[in-house]
Amino acid sequence: MKRPAIGILTWREGKRFAEPTYFRRLLKAGQELGCTVFLFSPKDVLASGKQVRGYVLDAQGKWQGRLFPRPDAVFDRYRYTPTQAFKDYVAFRRTSDFLYANNRLANKWRVHEVLHRDPRMHRWLPETVLYNRKNLVQMLGKHSFLYVKPLNGTGGRNLFSIEKRGGGYRLLGRDKQRAKVQSFITDISAVQRWADRWTRQEKFIVQQGLHLQLVPSRAVDMRLLIQKTGQGEWSITGHGIRVGGERSATSNLHGGGKAVPVSDFLRPRFGEDHAARIVRDCEELAYQTALTLEEHFGRMVEFGLDIGIDVDGRAWLIEVNPKPAREIFREMGAIEQYRQAIRRPLEYALYLAKTQGREGREPFLKRKVASR
């Protein structure tokens, strides 16, 4: 019997890949699941579309390319970069007829618009507008704390916060290399000029900042991973609290943050009952976000949600990542959740291949979710 083949669509330059460590673990998980997993980029699909030059590991653990038949399903892990290669990938996705486990998601502003149109999402959404000078001043008139984020940014790069403080404005951010940048400006017009310089090369959003300082001088949020199972149902794989580095605008682990189990973090601050209610609310947020976005954008396989929990215990959806990392589980020592987080996209891709994608034709909001 032919082993099912799952292709992983990603960036490639020679034998260099965007996420080599993660991909090695994906290939190992594929072996455990009894399927063939290979990496490929848009340029690796032969003109006929019937064969793909895929990359696997040889006996010495080195990447080797060889020809494969068309994959039975494809898991798309091609992540945004401001390059021609990414534009080529977008064009490839528009014309490719592979059976994909996940569609593309739009930029942060478009995602916010889609979520905001669903009244069930309103209680979790901070106020968000497109960046321009007028919107920035209006938002500073309504909120003492703001985030300014690139529409397509990832990993905490190229964003900054503005906080009214001591008769002026404290600006704190991370540039494209994640280096910390900070300034204190007393004049609003100087703030506008500073922000204009930062945002001149791409489009940004301005988002209501939240009082998330559950640890003094540190950004804190929850990273929650919700994924499809091998039965085609949404299920929460796990979550953790990320505590940012001191005086950092973000809680990202690559930026010096640390990971803490949710219950260990929330219980001492809110008490057992309130902490349990917060977790239930965050999980409800996750299921509704997945269903709302899937209804609009089509089939998806996983989302990493950044959820803010304010000093009153209210949950806020900060950001949605359709191609999330899962290192938070390894950082917390939750090894079984980490393994599950790696396996689940392959299990769902295998389910799709078996059903030939028929589940994707059902009304999205009528689909079952795994037991909560």
Side-chain angles (χ1 to χ4, degrees), residues 42 78 83-93:
Y78 206 115
T83 61
Q84 182 59 45
F86 185 81
K87 293 177 182 176
D88 295 342
Y89 150 76
V90 172
F92 172 80
R93 276 298 316 248

Side-chain angles (χ1 to χ4, degrees), residues 32-318:
E32 294 168 356
L33 291 168
C35 63
T36 299
V37 177
F38 61 83
L39 311 182
F40 74 103
S41 71
K43 61 189 175 186
D44 294 320
V45 180
L46 275 60
S48 67
K50 295 180 179 178
Q51 286 184 305
V52 175
R53 174 165 290 281
Y55 286 78
V56 293
L57 294 168
D58 64 17
Q60 285 73 46
K62 295 182 178 179
W63 296 107
Q64 294 296 331
R66 63 183 178 88
L67 286 180
F68 289 88
R70 280 173 61 92
D72 296 297
V74 172
F75 175 34
D76 183 350
R77 279 297 292 190
Y78 206 115
R79 302 173 89 173
Y80 172 78
T81 54
T83 61
Q84 182 59 45
F86 185 81
K87 293 177 182 176
D88 295 342
Y89 150 76
V90 172
F92 172 80
R93 276 298 316 248
R94 288 197 184 111
T95 57
S96 165
D97 63 351
F98 289 128
L99 175 60
Y100 284 98
N102 50 331
N103 283 295
R104 295 186 59 237
L105 203 65
N107 62 46
K108 290 183 178 71
W109 175 244
R110 185 76 186 108
V111 167
H112 173 77
E113 286 187 311
V114 168
L115 293 173
H116 194 263
R117 283 206 301 266
D118 187 340
R120 291 167 296 187
M121 292 296 306
H122 284 182
R123 64 190 171 101
W124 296 305
L125 298 178
E127 184 177 5
T128 304
V129 297
L130 280 170
Y131 173 84
N132 58 46
R133 279 193 163 205
K134 180 181 175 183
N135 284 347
L136 181 65
V137 172
Q138 286 182 343
M139 288 286 278
L140 279 172
K142 295 162 75 174
H143 306 289
S144 62
F145 183 46
L146 299 176
Y147 275 104
V148 183
K149 303 177 180 181
L151 262 60
N152 292 303
T154 59
R157 295 182 182 88
N158 207 24
L159 61 77
F160 65 94
S161 63
I162 305 175
E163 185 178 10
K164 293 180 188 176
R165 177 176 286 193
Y169 302 88
R170 188 183 73 154
L171 292 90
L172 186 65
R174 287 188 180 271
D175 64 18
K176 291 180 180 179
Q177 286 72 47
R178 297 198 187 100
K180 286 184 183 179
V181 178
Q182 56 185 320
S183 185
F184 187 85
I185 300 173
T186 56
D187 180 59
I188 186 65
S189 59
V191 171
Q192 288 177 305
R193 290 193 296 273
W194 194 97
D196 280 349
R197 285 195 299 273
W198 188 288
T199 60
R200 68 182 180 271
Q201 291 185 328
E202 56 183 306
K203 292 184 177 180
F204 282 68
I205 58 171
V206 183
Q207 189 173 78
Q208 170 191 351
L210 306 167
H211 295 290
L212 307 178
Q213 286 76 25
L214 296 174
V215 176
S217 301
R218 295 178 188 268
V220 176
D221 66 16
M222 177 191 288
R223 164 53 68 92
L224 184 150
L225 182 62
I226 183 168
Q227 298 176 294
K228 289 277 188 68
T229 68
Q231 291 75 46
E233 300 172 339
W234 284 111
S235 180
I236 291 170
T237 304
H239 35 51
I241 295 289
R242 300 183 304 180
V243 181
E246 192 167 4
R247 303 195 183 283
S248 172
T250 71
S251 62
N252 292 74
L253 297 180
H254 348 264
K258 66 175 183 176
V260 183
V262 170
S263 57
D264 290 358
F265 184 86
L266 293 181
R267 269 204 311 263
R269 288 163 176 84
F270 294 101
E272 191 151 355
D273 290 346
H274 193 185
R277 287 197 299 274
I278 293 169
V279 171
R280 285 196 298 271
D281 190 43
C282 291
E283 293 183 348
E284 183 181 347
L285 183 167
Y287 281 111
Q288 188 58 59
T289 299
L291 292 171
T292 299
L293 291 178
E294 192 173 42
E295 182 182 44
H296 183 85
F297 292 103
R299 180 190 299 127
M300 304 300 285
V301 66
E302 62 183 356
F303 293 110
L305 305 186
D306 294 346
I307 301 171
I309 299 168
D310 68 21
V311 292
D312 297 317
R314 180 175 175 181
W316 299 84
L317 179 60
I318 299 173

